Amino acid sequence: MHNCLVAQSGGPTVAINSSLAGVIQGAIDSRQFDRVYGSLNGVQGLLNGKLMDLSQKTEEIPMFIELLKKSPSMYLGSCRYQLPDYTDDDAPYAFIFNKFKQFDIGAFFYIGGNDSMDTVAKLSAYAKQINNPIKIIGIPKTIDNDLCVTDHTPGYGSAAKYIASTLLEIGHDTSIYPINSVTIVEIMGRDAGWLTGASALARNEYNSAPHLIYLPEVPFHETEFIEDVKSALKKYNNIVIAVSEGIKDESGRYISATSAVEDTFGHSQLSGTGKCLEYIIKQNLQVKVRSVEINILQRSAAHLSSVTDIGEAFRLGMHAVKTAIEGKTGIMVTAVRRTNNPYVVDMGETDVKNVAGLIKHVPREWINERGNDVTQDFIDYAYPLILGEPVVKYQRGIPDYLNISHLYPNP
C-alpha cells in the first residue's frame, strides 16, 4: 500500500497520542507501508502542505513510540476545520486527493471525535465517487465519551480518573470547617454527562462527595435543585455538587445560555453554569457557596492517566492499520466490551455513518429517578476505565513529555 498518512483533530486528550503511536507501530509491524506521514493540524495540514515524516522520527528519537504513548495532547496538532459537501464545493477534496497522490498514500487515518468522523465520512464518500482506492479509517477519541457504537472512547478513562481524583480532593478541602457550605464543580459536557457522572467514582468508605450530580440527559428544575441542596445540608455540613456545563431546563434551553456564540460546527459555546447555580443558591439559601470550573484541566493531565485508557488507545490505532490492510474503508474502529468482571474489551469497527453527527447519551436508567445522581450501573461501567497508573518520566520535578516545538509558529 506504499505510504500511509495519519492526522489528529478536535480537542486534546491524554490518550490520543497513544492511538497515533498505535498507527505508527501497526504500520511498521505490517511491513505494508514504506513510510508513515503525519499531517500537522488535521486536514488543514493537507490543505497547507504541512506534512511530517513520522518514520524518520522513530529513527531519530530513541523510544519515540513509547514516549508518544505517554505524552498528552496532540503531537500532530489539531484543527476545527469543517469540509464542505463535495457536491457543493469539491475544490478542497481535489486538493487533498492530489496530496494523497503526491505522497503515494494508500491509507489515511483520522483520529478524533464526532466532527472528525464527519470528515472521515465525507472523504470516504468522495473517494468512492471518483473510484479512488485509498482506505480512509476513523479512530475515536474524546473525553466526552459521546461517540455512538463504541463502548467508550480513548481519552474518557483518563479524564474520568482526573475528575474523580479532583472531586475526592475537593471533598477533603471542603470538609475541614464545621460550618455549612456548598461547592459547585462545573465539568465539561455540552450534550452528554459521561464526564460529570464519573465524579461519583470519588466516593469511598468515608467520602460522600459529590453529594449531588446533574447531567444534561435530565431536565434541570430550579425548585427541585433548591430542595435537593436543603436536604443534603441537613445530612452534611459541606456539600459538593457536580454539574455538567450543558444542563438544560424543560424547554431545552441551556441554563448558562447567555451567549449565542457557536463554533464552526454549530455547537454552542458554554460557560458559567456553575456560577448560575451559585447565584440560585445565594438567592434562596443563607449559606456559604462557591463554584469552580474544571474546564480543560483534565484533557492533558498525563500525570493522572489510566493505563487501561492508554493501552486501549494504542490497540485501536493498531487495529485501524489492520482494517486498512484488509481493504476496509469508511469505517471507525471501536472498542467492544465483552465482559465487565473480568473486564475484557475486543477491537471492532463500524460504518462511520453510524457515528458521524450522532451523540451517545448516558442511558436514563443509569441516572436515579430524581435526576440528581448516577446509579451503580454507571459506576460499574466507568470504574474499569480509570484503572492503572503508567510510569511517567519526570525532569526538574515535572512531567517530561515529547517536544512539540514543531507546532509553534516560526520565529
Side-chain angles (χ1 to χ4, degrees), residues 181-198:
S181 71
V182 178
T183 302
I184 302 163
V185 184
E186 179 184 335
I187 300 168
M188 280 185 162
R190 181 179 54 239
D191 298 306
W194 296 102
L195 201 54
T196 303

Side-chain angles (χ1 to χ4, degrees), residues 1-319:
M1 297 181 74
H2 307 288
N3 303 319
C4 66
L5 175 69
V6 58
Q8 300 169 311
S9 180
T13 81
V14 166
I16 189 172
N17 280 337
S18 189
S19 290
L20 173 61
V23 170
I24 299 170
Q25 190 66 63
I28 292 172
D29 291 348
S30 73
R31 300 186 179 181
Q32 297 294 309
F33 301 97
D34 296 324
R35 310 298 292 177
V36 181
Y37 291 101
S39 175
L40 298 184
N41 302 116
V43 291
Q44 283 187 315
L46 282 165
L47 295 170
N48 298 329
K50 294 184 177 180
L51 301 188
M52 169 187 287
D53 188 339
L54 293 170
S55 299
Q56 185 176 348
K57 291 293 181 181
T58 65
E59 298 160 2
E60 294 177 345
I61 302 176
M63 301 294 289
F64 174 74
I65 289 178
E66 284 303 311
L67 290 172
L68 188 59
K69 287 169 64 176
K70 297 177 182 178
S71 289
S73 191
M74 302 157 96
Y75 185 74
L76 295 175
S78 184
C79 71
R80 294 285 188 182
Y81 179 80
Q82 184 177 27
L83 281 170
D85 189 315
Y86 70 82
T87 59
D88 297 327
D89 178 13
D90 68 351
Y93 293 85
F95 190 90
I96 288 171
F97 276 75
N98 183 58
K99 284 293 180 183
F100 288 157
K101 181 178 180 181
Q102 179 183 344
F103 284 86
D104 198 16
I105 303 299
F108 174 52
F109 305 99
Y110 209 30
I111 314 172
N114 203 306
D115 297 328
S116 303
M117 295 310 117
D118 175 74
T119 298
V120 171
K122 287 176 176 176
L123 289 176
S124 57
Y126 182 76
K128 182 178 179 180
Q129 176 69 22
I130 64 173
N131 295 316
N132 189 303
I134 187 172
K135 310 308 174 190
I136 300 177
I137 311 292
I139 303 172
K141 73 88 206 171
T142 174
I143 64 169
D144 295 323
N145 197 40
D146 59 356
L147 296 189
C148 291
V149 184
T150 188
D151 179 79
H152 54 277
T153 56
Y156 172 66
S158 293
K161 184 170 189 162
Y162 183 95
I163 292 297
S165 300
T166 299
L167 266 291
L168 174 61
E169 290 161 356
I170 288 175
H172 274 257
D173 183 276
T174 60
S175 65
I176 62 173
Y177 297 113
I179 59 173
N180 287 141
S181 71
V182 178
T183 302
I184 302 163
V185 184
E186 179 184 335
I187 300 168
M188 280 185 162
R190 181 179 54 239
D191 298 306
W194 296 102
L195 201 54
T196 303
S199 63
L201 299 173
R203 297 167 181 160
N204 57 31
E205 66 274 11
Y206 65 85
N207 174 60
S208 300
H211 305 91
L212 298 168
I213 300 174
Y214 297 95
L215 311 184
E217 283 79 2
V218 178
F220 178 82
H221 302 275
E222 183 175 326
T223 302
E224 290 185 4
F225 172 65
I226 294 300
E227 292 174 354
D228 292 344
V229 175
K230 286 181 178 179
S231 178
L233 283 171
K234 291 178 181 179
K235 299 178 182 178
Y236 308 97
N237 281 336
N238 317 101
I239 69 169
V240 178
I241 301 171
V243 57
S244 295
E245 62 179 346
I247 59 171
K248 310 176 187 70
D249 60 23
E250 281 187 303
S251 66
R253 182 178 182 271
Y254 289 109
I255 298 300
S256 64
T258 57
S259 171
V261 176
E262 296 182 343
D263 65 16
T264 56
F265 287 87
H267 305 314
S268 297
Q269 300 300 284
L270 306 177
S271 64
T273 300
K275 280 295 179 185
C276 180
L277 298 192
E278 179 183 338
Y279 176 77
I280 291 172
I281 292 176
K282 283 181 177 178
Q283 291 295 103
N284 290 273
L285 301 173
Q286 298 301 312
V287 64
K288 178 182 178 181
V289 57
R290 58 186 166 190
S291 59
V292 295
E293 183 182 351
I294 293 182
N295 206 302
I296 66 171
L297 297 180
Q298 72 279 353
R299 299 200 303 187
S300 294
H303 61 288
L304 264 179
S305 57
S306 154
V307 164
T308 300
D309 191 28
I310 298 300
E312 290 179 352
F314 185 78
R315 289 174 61 196
L316 280 167
M318 295 271 287
H319 186 66

Side-chain angles (χ1 to χ4, degrees), residues 344-355:
V344 178
V345 168
D346 295 333
M347 302 294 105
E349 60 268 348
T350 186
D351 191 315
V352 73
K353 293 178 182 178
N354 297 327
V355 182

